[in-house]
Amino acid sequence: MRDTIEKYAEEWGETIILFEPRELDDALIGIAARIGLRVAAYDYAKLVEIHHKKLGMNLEEAEEWVQINAMGSYMGDGTPVIVWIPQ
């Protein structure tokens, strides 16, 4: 998915910010768009799961990390969005 998003961004002449480390790519679900803006979109539950299971945080730490460092940070117009997908 990362490669596809980077390809589109290059074609569009836009900067789309993607989270690091690359393990977080498993939570990448696509591109969100509105007039004049395209950004990476990540699944909230998958971000938490990756931080919990792959990056060694307990569940509370993982949720806090996603809420503060992913949802709570602004990196300019290309800042990714976090999507809650009802189960």
Side-chain angles (χ1 to χ4, degrees), residues 14 65 75:
E14 295 182 17
W65 191 98
M75 299 171 258

Side-chain angles (χ1 to χ4, degrees), residues 14-56:
E14 295 182 17
T15 299
I16 295 180
I17 297 169
L18 300 168
F19 289 142
E20 295 290 341
R22 283 183 159 280
E23 285 89 351
L24 300 177
D25 287 357
D26 290 342
L28 189 56
I29 57 173
I31 298 171
R34 64 174 188 255
I35 295 173
L37 186 64
R38 295 181 183 110
V39 298
Y42 287 85
D43 180 317
Y44 174 84
K46 287 183 183 178
L47 282 174
V48 171
E49 179 181 337
I50 292 165
H51 280 86
H52 175 57
K53 293 183 177 176
K54 292 186 178 180
L55 301 179

Side-chain angles (χ1 to χ4, degrees), residues 6 12-13 15 23-24 29-30 32-33 39 41 47-48 50-51 53 61 63 66-69 71 78 80 83 85-86:
E6 288 174 339
W12 297 329
T15 299
E23 285 89 351
L24 300 177
I29 57 173
V39 298
L47 282 174
V48 171
I50 292 165
H51 280 86
K53 293 183 177 176
E61 291 170 332
E63 289 176 337
V66 171
Q67 292 169 7
I68 292 170
N69 296 292
M71 296 167 56
V83 178
I85 301 173

